[in-house]
Structure formats: C-alpha cells, structure tokens
Amino acid sequence: MKRKTKIIVTVVGGIAALGILTATGVQAYHKLVKPTSTAKNKYQVYKVTGALPLTMSGKVVAEKTQSLNSPTGKLQQINVKDEQSVKNGDILLTVTATDVQESISSQQDIVNKANRAVSSASATLKNAQQSYNQADADTKISLKDTVTQAQQALTDANGDLQDAQNKLAELQGKLTVSLKAPFDGVVSVSNDTKDGIPAITMNSSQKVLQANVSEYDYSKVHAGDTVTVSGIDGSPKQSTKITKIEQIPSNQGKGTTYYPFSASVNNDFLYGQSVKVKVPQSELKIPKSAVYKGSVYKVIDGKASRAQADLTQNGDTYIVNSGISKGEELVTNPDAKLTNGEVVDD
C-alpha cells in the first residue's frame, strides 16, 4: 500500500514539472517571435545632396573667323604661310591694281598736257611783258590788259597742273594695295584660286567653347555660370564662365531643340578639339516619400524633428526652394506614428 502511494506521488510530480517547463518555453518563444509594444518603428534616413552636374559635349573654335576680301589685280608679294600666326595690322600680301595702272597712264597724259599749257602760258606772259616794257606810254595803256590776261592764263594753267598732279599722286597711292590682318590670329592660306591671288582666312587667337543645351535644361544654364571644360581624355582642363547663351536655337527641326552657348578657353586647347563640359547645379532635390502632409522630418542628433520647407513638386521629387540645406538628413518614410523627438534608427 505504501509503495503505490509513492508511485502516484512521483508521477504527479513529474507531470507538474513538465507543465512548468512547457509554460516557460512557450513564453520564451513568444518573446522571440513577437515584438513588445515598446519596440521602435524603423525609419529610413536620407542625406540631402546637390544635383549632379549637367554634362554635354562641345567643340573649341576660334572666337572669330573671317574670310578676308583680297584686292583684285596682280600679286606682287605674299608675306605669310598657311597656319602662320600674325598680329593685327601685319601686311599679309600686296597686289598691283591693274585697273589703277591704266588710270595712272591716262592721268599722266593729263599732267603732261597741263605742263605744256603752263609752259605756253608762261611764254605768252613773258612776251606780253616784254612788249609792254618796250612800248611807249600811249601803247602801254592798250598792252596792260594783255599782260593781265596772260598772267591770269598762267595762274589758271598752274591750277590745272596742280589738280592733275594731285589726282596722279592719289592714283599712284592706290596702285599697290596691301591686305592687312584685322586682328591677332592664325591664317589659313589657299592657293586654289582662279585669279592667282591666294585666299586668306583669319582665325582669331582667342578660342571659345561652343556647346548646346537642350530645351529641357535651358533654365539650368545661365550667362556667368562657372563650367568645367576638359579634353575627352581629361586633359587639358579649365574652369571658365559662360559668356553667352543664345535665345535662338541652333536647329528648329523635329525632335529636341538645342540652344548654343559659349565660354572663353585658353590656348592649351586646340582649334576644333572635342571637349567635355560640366555645368554644376546648385538645385537641391528630395524624394517625394520624404514629404508627409506638407512637412518633412529632419534628423537632428538622431531624433526626428518636424520642419516646414518651401518645395515645388517635380514628378517623383521635390525641388527645394528654401528650408532645407545640403548635408541635412531627412526621414524618407515618415508616417502618422512618427513623433517629434522620436529616436530614428539610421
């Protein structure tokens, strides 16, 4: 009888112990798979960065290119070679103006005739004066008018001679015509001409970048903006400023419209060189998900802080007008549960 009692007590005790262990395990399991009511919500943090620069391609060209009008006539001398550097005012070539030569010959005949007229008038005056000097008093009265007329004729002849000589000198000054460089630069010389006078084109020493901005980015590029210009392989490289943006597009056909802009570059770049252009952008953008009911939550010292900002929606992003600075951190998935001062896990 006593032995049965022990067995029953042992079994009951084992069952009780098993129940305690089972309850403890279930409680531990729930702690693992079910968070407590005080667990923090998980929020994502975004650091505000500046917009990527606009990138495009361009060409380096002469600031000014001019085909020079060579004078007509017979080439006397050419003083430059192809791709030679010249200064403003340098004589590039000289030409004898054949049409002027013909005019000079005609004018020389006029001068010769005027000289003969002067000689004749001078001789006439001399004879009149001699007759006047040898005449008696009564005769001198009638000869006086003859002397006066001879003097006037000589004066007129000398005037005609002077005019003819001035005209001749003027024509002689036009006989040899020089073509001068209108600015500093490099000349391109072509001898493939019909009249035998080389065709000369001037390229200014000052070089400029020529690039185009699309209609979609036109508002992002302004005269005075700093741009970086570099060769395709990265060299040479220069920071410069946009000098001009055209209002008239370079093409008005179908497709995207592009507007030319220019900037000065130094002589490290080659004429016609292809280059890369970067235009930095100061515009700040934040994701649309960072805005909740018109507000944003900045992360300050690891805590959410509700703030107002002036924003303009642009597709899936907002453009920052004011209220948010580059480098600040924002919660990108705020919701109704997020409160001011709440610790945010980043």
Side-chain angles (χ1 to χ4, degrees):
M1 184 67 182
K2 291 182 179 179
R3 191 172 175 211
K4 280 185 178 180
T5 302
K6 288 183 179 180
I7 292 172
I8 292 170
V9 171
T10 301
V11 172
V12 172
I15 293 171
L18 181 60
I20 293 171
L21 289 172
T22 301
T24 302
V26 170
Q27 185 177 8
Y29 170 77
H30 281 292
K31 286 184 176 181
L32 289 174
V33 300
K34 185 178 180 180
T36 63
S37 60
T38 59
K40 297 292 183 183
N41 292 316
K42 299 296 182 179
Y43 293 102
Q44 297 174 351
V45 176
Y46 166 78
K47 188 172 184 178
V48 180
T49 58
L52 293 175
L54 294 178
T55 58
M56 58 203 74
S57 60
K59 286 279 188 182
V60 173
V61 298
E63 182 181 44
K64 183 189 296 185
T65 299
Q66 181 177 335
S67 295
L68 305 184
N69 293 322
S70 297
T72 58
K74 183 179 180 180
L75 180 66
Q76 275 190 5
Q77 184 176 0
I78 181 165
N79 301 322
V80 292
K81 297 179 180 179
D82 191 38
E83 297 190 1
Q84 180 176 330
S85 296
V86 297
K87 295 292 185 181
N88 183 16
D90 285 353
I91 296 177
L92 308 180
L93 58 78
T94 53
V95 168
T96 299
T98 53
D99 57 337
V100 174
Q101 181 65 67
E102 294 175 359
S103 298
I104 287 176
S105 297
S106 298
Q107 188 62 30
Q108 184 65 59
D109 291 341
I110 295 173
V111 170
N112 294 337
K113 183 177 180 181
N115 270 318
R116 290 194 295 271
V118 168
S119 297
S120 176
S122 180
T124 299
L125 175 60
K126 183 178 181 181
N127 291 332
Q129 287 176 332
Q130 287 179 347
S131 297
Y132 178 82
N133 293 334
Q134 295 172 359
D136 55 31
D138 294 334
T139 306
K140 282 184 177 180
I141 296 174
S142 59
L143 291 176
K144 185 175 181 181
D145 289 341
T146 302
V147 172
T148 301
Q149 291 174 357
Q151 287 176 332
Q152 184 60 49
L154 178 60
T155 300
D156 292 341
N158 279 320
D160 291 341
L161 175 62
Q162 185 63 54
D163 289 342
Q165 289 174 333
N166 290 341
K167 181 64 175 178
L168 178 62
E170 182 182 348
L171 289 171
Q172 288 172 334
K174 295 178 179 179
L175 179 60
T176 300
V177 183
S178 298
L179 179 63
K180 297 181 179 181
F183 46 79
D184 294 354
V186 178
V187 295
S188 297
V189 181
S190 173
N191 293 307
D192 187 18
T193 58
K194 294 180 179 180
D195 59 4
I197 299 177
I200 298 180
T201 300
M202 281 282 301
N203 296 283
S204 65
S205 298
Q206 181 60 56
K207 299 171 184 175
V208 296
L209 160 73
Q210 279 192 349
N212 296 287
V213 59
S214 75
E215 57 188 299
Y216 308 109
D217 294 324
Y218 186 83
S219 62
K220 301 176 184 178
V221 179
H222 312 87
D225 285 354
T226 298
V227 298
T228 301
V229 183
S230 62
I232 299 301
D233 61 354
S235 178
K237 186 175 183 179
Q238 179 191 356
S239 290
T240 183
K241 291 187 177 182
I242 295 175
T243 53
K244 187 178 182 181
I245 302 176
E246 303 290 349
Q247 297 184 49
I248 306 301
S250 57
N251 67 310
Q252 297 189 35
K254 296 180 179 179
T256 302
T257 301
Y258 290 89
Y259 297 83
F261 68 90
S262 57
S264 295
V265 295
N266 58 40
N267 284 325
D268 292 338
F269 293 91
L270 304 174
Y271 290 109
Q273 183 174 1
S274 297
V275 292
K276 297 182 293 186
V277 185
K278 289 187 177 182
V279 185
Q281 297 295 293
S282 58
E283 184 179 78
L284 296 181
K285 292 183 178 181
I286 63 173
K288 183 178 178 181
S289 60
V291 181
Y292 181 72
K293 292 187 176 181
S295 299
V296 296
Y297 284 85
K298 296 183 180 181
V299 179
I300 302 174
D301 296 331
K303 297 180 180 180
S305 178
R306 187 171 182 174
Q308 296 294 323
D310 183 6
L311 308 170
T312 301
Q313 187 170 353
N314 182 21
D316 292 332
T317 62
Y318 277 94
I319 298 173
V320 177
N321 300 316
S322 63
I324 299 174
S325 301
K326 182 179 178 181
E328 289 187 312
E329 293 183 333
L330 304 177
V331 177
T332 56
N333 58 336
D335 54 25
K337 296 180 181 180
L338 182 61
T339 59
N340 259 330
E342 182 172 343
V343 175
V344 176
D345 295 328
D346 54 12

